Amino acid sequence: SNFLVNKFDSIFVEDLNVAGMMKNRKLSKSIQDVSWSSLISMISYKCVWYRKELLKINRFFPSSKLCSSCGTKNDQLNLEIREWTCSCGCIHDRDVNAAKNILQEGLRSYHGVISGESPEYDRGEIIRPKNFLTGNFKADFDEAINSST
């Protein structure tokens, strides 16, 4: 978590239903071993400390099923398939493709950036969208910002 927060100003993650995934007997051991919820909690409070962004992508966004090259959706993809070929010819590793799509969706949704574009900011411009944080994390973030000024 330290590495990620220190290296990146914005961190995009899928808002996974960990509790629901733990009910699946085939997945529960792997999910528990990874401690996904603990990792997200640590990244969350460290982002507040260092004034970084933790942005959650909707859990229903089809990150694994979209081709990160052409955008075609593969509805036949199930959990057993780890590698697949898109109709455009791209061969995808499921997890690497999902990571690319989460990054693209995060940049598009929260920063208005399409794919590899680099945004240009004028001096003093507010670069964080007003609605990018919700719930308790937003209150913690606002408190941290207000107490430091």
Side-chain angles (χ1 to χ4, degrees), residues 11-114:
I11 299 170
F12 305 117
V13 297
E14 270 185 305
D15 184 22
L16 297 175
N17 179 9
V18 176
M21 292 167 66
M22 291 294 288
K23 293 177 184 175
N24 182 331
R25 291 183 181 189
K26 292 180 181 178
L27 294 176
S28 62
K29 178 75 171 128
S30 298
I31 294 166
Q32 191 174 12
D33 288 345
V34 174
S35 300
W36 182 253
S37 296
S38 298
L39 175 64
I40 298 303
S41 293
M42 289 188 287
I43 291 172
S44 179
Y45 74 76
K46 288 174 185 174
C47 281
V48 171
W49 286 353
Y50 298 109
R51 293 184 177 189
K52 305 290 180 97
E53 296 175 321
L54 173 62
L55 306 164
K56 294 184 178 180
I57 305 301
N58 187 311
R59 70 181 63 167
F60 299 109
F61 175 71
S63 60
S64 298
K65 295 182 177 189
L66 287 179
C67 173
S68 57
S69 295
C70 72
T72 301
K73 186 175 177 185
N74 181 352
D75 285 321
Q76 282 71 43
L77 197 62
N78 57 35
L79 285 174
E80 290 81 36
I81 300 172
R82 305 309 305 162
E83 191 174 276
W84 59 281
T85 304
C86 180
S87 58
C88 72
C90 263
I91 299 171
H92 296 292
D93 173 272
R94 181 188 188 97
D95 297 329
V96 172
N97 183 57
K100 289 177 183 177
N101 284 325
I102 290 167
L103 174 61
Q104 287 178 2
E105 178 65 9
L107 291 173
R108 186 194 65 75
S109 296
Y110 295 103
H111 297 294
V113 177
I114 308 296

